[in-house]
Amino acid sequence: MTSGNSRKTASVSAAIVRRLRALPDQTAPNLHAFRQQVSKELANAGGRDIIRIALSLVELDEPSCRFMGYALILHYEDAAGILRPTVIEKLGRGIDSWGDVDTFAGYISGPAWQAQILKDDHIHRWARSKDRWWRRAALVSTVPSNQKSAGGTGDVPRTLAVCELLAEDPDDMVVKALSWALRALVPHDAKAVRRFLSTHRDVLPARVLREVNNKLTTGLKNPRKRG
């Protein structure tokens, strides 16, 4: 498949959708295995072709299609490297569930922010959005930079700047993401996290204070649930 061949790109996208919908069981392991198979088949595709395919999958607004589109880009270096903020926001159109947001932020916007393809101004704008899901996406986008499994080495100042914008947000989906973002920072700079909790203690939701303090003192979000 040559770059710029939009007709062939559309044909490939349609074939992926048919095969995806035909999967007898769309569990996470099956979806990951299918993505690996498709990635092998598209090994010689250009990065722009992969992005076009991903956009067409995302436009269908089905969870499995969104996952496939995001995962194809994540695992295709030539595509991830040429993403631009406008394309990233197109890929995020219609996110309206916990799963959609976390896959988008974990696979697309988070790595792009980590690589500084997506700038702080974009994430801060999402944090100020009226849409709860974009506010959650702003926070979850910080997590890959602080996760060893995602190649993160810790980005304390930039992460805390996003957390500060949403410290008073009462929405449950945002509160849970704030807790996650702060807990991801603990291995990198526990003192900075403690200072953040102390500075914002009067406005932080009880869940955030409880879970992040648990992480600081025990290494676990909910220590009583262990075992």
Side-chain angles (χ1 to χ4, degrees):
M1 184 168 60
T2 59
S3 180
N5 190 337
S6 58
R7 182 175 298 177
K8 193 165 186 179
T9 297
S11 175
V12 171
S13 300
I16 291 171
V17 173
R18 286 195 300 271
R19 292 162 62 192
L20 185 58
R21 289 173 175 168
L23 286 176
D25 191 358
Q26 292 191 354
T27 60
N30 286 349
L31 288 173
H32 283 287
F34 180 61
R35 194 283 307 162
Q36 290 175 339
Q37 180 180 348
V38 172
S39 290
K40 289 179 181 179
E41 295 168 4
L42 297 176
N44 295 322
R48 297 185 189 282
D49 289 316
I50 297 296
I51 291 172
R52 290 190 189 99
I53 291 168
L55 284 166
S56 67
L57 292 172
V58 167
E59 286 173 0
L60 294 171
D61 202 20
E62 298 175 19
S64 60
C65 291
R66 278 189 178 272
F67 164 81
M68 188 60 56
Y70 297 155
L72 284 173
I73 290 176
L74 177 69
H75 294 282
Y76 198 98
E77 187 175 348
D78 287 351
I82 62 172
L83 281 176
R84 293 295 176 263
T86 53
V87 175
I88 291 169
E89 293 194 336
K90 285 181 182 178
L91 288 164
R93 284 179 184 169
I95 50 174
D96 61 1
S97 71
W98 188 336
D100 285 353
V101 171
D102 291 3
T103 307
F104 167 69
Y107 287 12
I108 301 296
S109 60
W113 187 68
Q114 185 178 355
Q116 300 200 37
I117 293 171
L118 196 63
K119 303 300 183 182
D120 292 352
D121 286 350
H122 294 95
I123 298 296
H124 293 182
R125 177 163 52 80
W126 297 357
R128 297 186 180 100
S129 173
K130 293 181 180 179
D131 188 322
R132 68 192 301 206
W133 300 113
W134 281 104
R135 299 199 306 277
R136 181 179 175 91
L139 287 163
V140 181
S141 294
T142 70
V143 173
S145 292
N146 302 305
Q147 278 185 329
K148 187 177 180 180
S149 60
T153 57
D155 197 335
V156 178
R158 290 206 303 157
T159 299
L160 289 179
V162 179
C163 291
E164 188 162 7
L165 290 172
L166 291 161
E168 299 183 49
D169 197 306
D171 189 285
D172 189 52
M173 287 293 102
V174 179
V175 169
K176 290 175 179 176
L178 178 59
S179 172
W180 185 10
L182 288 168
R183 284 184 282 111
L185 280 182
V186 170
H188 303 289
D189 195 337
K191 288 183 179 179
V193 175
R194 287 192 177 94
R195 284 195 300 270
F196 185 90
L197 294 185
S198 178
T199 300
H200 301 283
R201 180 169 297 280
D202 292 341
V203 298
L204 284 170
R207 172 192 284 271
V208 173
L209 292 169
R210 181 180 68 255
E211 292 180 350
V212 180
N213 273 313
N214 283 343
K215 180 70 174 181
L216 285 163
T217 56
T218 71
L220 299 170
K221 179 176 76 170
N222 295 308
R224 286 179 293 179
K225 294 185 178 181
R226 182 170 56 182

